[in-house]
Amino acid sequence: MSSAAPFRLGSVALPVYLPSLLFAIGEGAVIPVIPVDAARLGGSLALAGFISALIMVGTLIGDIPSGWIVAKVGERNAMLGSAVAALLGLVLCLVAAVPAVLGVGVLLIGIATASFALARQAFMTTFVPRSYRARALSLLGGMFRAGYFVGPFLAAAVIGLTGSTRAVFGIHAVACVVVAIVLLVLPDPSAVLAERRSALLTDTQAIRVAEAGGTEREGLFRTIARHRSVLARMGLAAALIGGLRSSRQVILPLAGVALGLQESGIALVVGIAGAVDLALFFTSGQIMDRFGRLWSALPSMIGLGLGHLALAVVVLVGAAGSPTAVAWFVAVAIGMSLANGVGSGILMTFGADLAPRHDPAPFLGAYRFTGDAGNAAAPLALSALTAVFSLSAAAVVIGAAGLVGAGLIARWVPRFIPRAARA
């Protein structure tokens, strides 16, 4: 039997991927209604936007300590704790009578999301061999993307049935309860794969594993200090990747407004683009495992950078309501989604390649913080540049940053993730 056999995920795929899909569906449902509920509670548009951003702020706050938590209690316990923490946040959202209470609930959901996502990535890093790691992680990323795609449609259905936006928080609450049940009822994949691996080890290999397992854990801050070079360089690349992705989600609706499209038309274009993005998540993993990480990361960053530049031209020269301008807008939106889809799972794969395999969680927490920082910073930068200059100018700056990021990836990936490590 091949040494890789105990690591195949087929028999544990359900407990590995189902909790992530359920959690993402719940979160994808509540994200669109957070600003609506904040405004219903009397918050201004600015306050509603701030409360919406707290879910990302919570994720940033939770990224680094979640690495310590996962290392201490294990992946399944961390996911169970995250589901309970998210449930507490949702209860606050459901009973909130003032925007401040809603904001605390949203912040808690974001913190829980950080620990939940990192726990599953740490499992993948520990157990999945490099030869098909990217496919496994791309599939994990696809579960989150599928959840964020399905969630808003489910929210719309619930609102249509109940006439209440607040009822949508119940979707995520139910999802968290089901996640906890799934985690408790189905076998722990970490335990299953560890047992299989131990059963196939020779005596010498078992001694080496035991020695590695007995190695003292470095802890959060020592891990960050030891890996500060790779975190600084690859972390910057991760921040730029995250920034380009989150900017795409914001700039497409803004460009649609600038071109005079109706809300329904913008939603249709964004929905089609999201479907294109979702359809490519496993293809990305195939590319990375067969040809190397650069063949996914570079086309994705270059495509997103050029897409922002093309969008700047469309907005700058396109007349509002012009069929030609709208056609170009649709083409650019789909092109950017293709670029984003080709890079599906790249951040998690980079993190898994770079993290120490015996104790990945502290490193992954710090690494995920950099990507999430880019996710949070890019929309703010886009808004500021648009306010000071114009939407086209903002698109040019962010597009140029994407091309710079592609250059950094081309420079640093071969250094920190050599070809031999990708085989």
Side-chain angles (χ1 to χ4, degrees):
M1 182 180 293
S2 167
S3 61
F7 303 102
R8 299 213 178 267
L9 293 174
S11 61
V12 294
L14 195 62
V16 168
Y17 292 113
L18 182 59
S20 299
L21 176 62
L22 293 170
F23 195 90
I25 289 174
E27 188 171 2
V30 303
I31 286 174
V33 305
I34 290 172
V36 177
D37 203 53
R40 187 187 62 81
L41 292 174
S44 64
L45 287 178
L47 182 58
F50 174 75
I51 291 175
S52 297
L54 285 177
I55 197 164
M56 193 67 241
V57 173
T59 302
L60 279 173
I61 293 172
D63 273 331
I64 293 181
S66 65
W68 177 83
I69 292 169
V70 172
K72 287 292 184 182
V73 306
E75 290 92 353
R76 183 166 74 164
N77 288 335
M79 294 174 76
L80 281 168
S82 298
V84 172
L87 192 58
L88 292 174
L90 289 159
V91 169
L92 287 176
C93 293
L94 281 166
V95 303
V98 293
V101 176
L102 178 67
V104 173
V106 171
L107 185 70
L108 190 54
I109 294 170
I111 293 172
T113 299
S115 181
F116 189 95
L118 186 140
R120 188 49 83 222
Q121 186 181 4
F123 161 79
M124 294 288 195
T125 302
T126 301
F127 286 100
V128 178
R130 295 182 188 273
S131 59
Y132 56 94
R133 173 183 288 166
R135 279 168 284 179
L137 286 168
S138 293
L139 184 56
L140 178 62
M143 294 299 101
F144 283 101
R145 290 182 186 219
Y148 293 144
F149 182 74
V150 171
F153 292 102
L154 187 58
V158 168
I159 293 171
L161 289 172
T162 66
S164 169
T165 58
R166 180 152 288 192
V168 174
F169 291 110
I171 298 174
H172 200 3
V174 171
C176 288
V177 171
V178 176
V179 164
I181 293 171
V182 168
L183 290 170
L184 291 170
V185 171
L186 294 180
D188 180 3
S190 298
V192 171
L193 293 184
E195 184 178 348
R196 286 189 201 167
R197 182 168 63 181
S198 298
L200 292 182
L201 291 177
T202 64
D203 291 341
T204 302
Q205 290 172 327
I207 292 171
R208 290 175 181 171
V209 169
E211 290 174 347
T215 302
E216 182 182 357
R217 295 180 184 271
E218 287 188 320
L220 174 62
F221 294 107
R222 288 177 63 185
T223 299
I224 293 174
R226 180 182 176 188
H227 299 281
R228 59 186 179 276
S229 177
V230 65
L231 284 171
R233 291 169 172 81
M234 290 299 293
L236 177 57
L240 289 170
I241 293 172
L244 266 288
R245 287 177 168 179
S246 62
S247 171
R248 178 187 69 96
Q249 295 175 330
V250 175
I251 201 169
L252 285 175
L254 292 177
V257 172
L259 292 172
L261 272 70
Q262 299 295 322
E263 290 85 348
S264 58
I266 295 173
L268 178 62
V269 173
V270 172
I272 293 172
V276 171
D277 185 357
L278 179 62
L280 291 173
F281 69 83
F282 195 70
T283 301
S284 169
Q286 293 277 13
I287 292 171
M288 284 188 277
D289 279 338
R290 295 175 73 113
F291 304 107
R293 311 315 192 214
L294 282 177
W295 287 90
S296 175
L298 279 181
S300 179
M301 283 297 282
I302 292 171
L304 286 172
L306 293 178
H308 278 78
L309 296 178
L311 201 61
V313 175
V314 171
V315 172
L316 184 63
V317 304
S322 165
T324 301
V326 171
W328 277 109
F329 168 67
V330 172
V332 171
I334 292 176
M336 293 175 76
S337 293
L338 285 170
N340 195 58
V342 166
S344 177
I346 189 63
L347 286 179
M348 288 193 293
T349 304
F350 278 168
D353 287 340
L354 296 166
R357 189 162 185 177
H358 71 281
D359 186 23
F363 176 90
L364 290 175
Y367 174 79
R368 288 180 67 93
F369 178 86
T370 61
D372 287 337
N375 282 335
L380 297 176
L382 178 66
S383 299
L385 289 167
T386 301
V388 175
F389 301 105
S390 67
L391 183 61
S392 293
V396 168
V397 171
I398 294 177
L403 297 180
V404 170
L408 296 179
I409 289 170
R411 170 69 180 86
W412 288 333
V413 166
R415 174 180 173 184
F416 292 108
I417 309 175
R419 180 72 196 181
R422 296 184 226 141

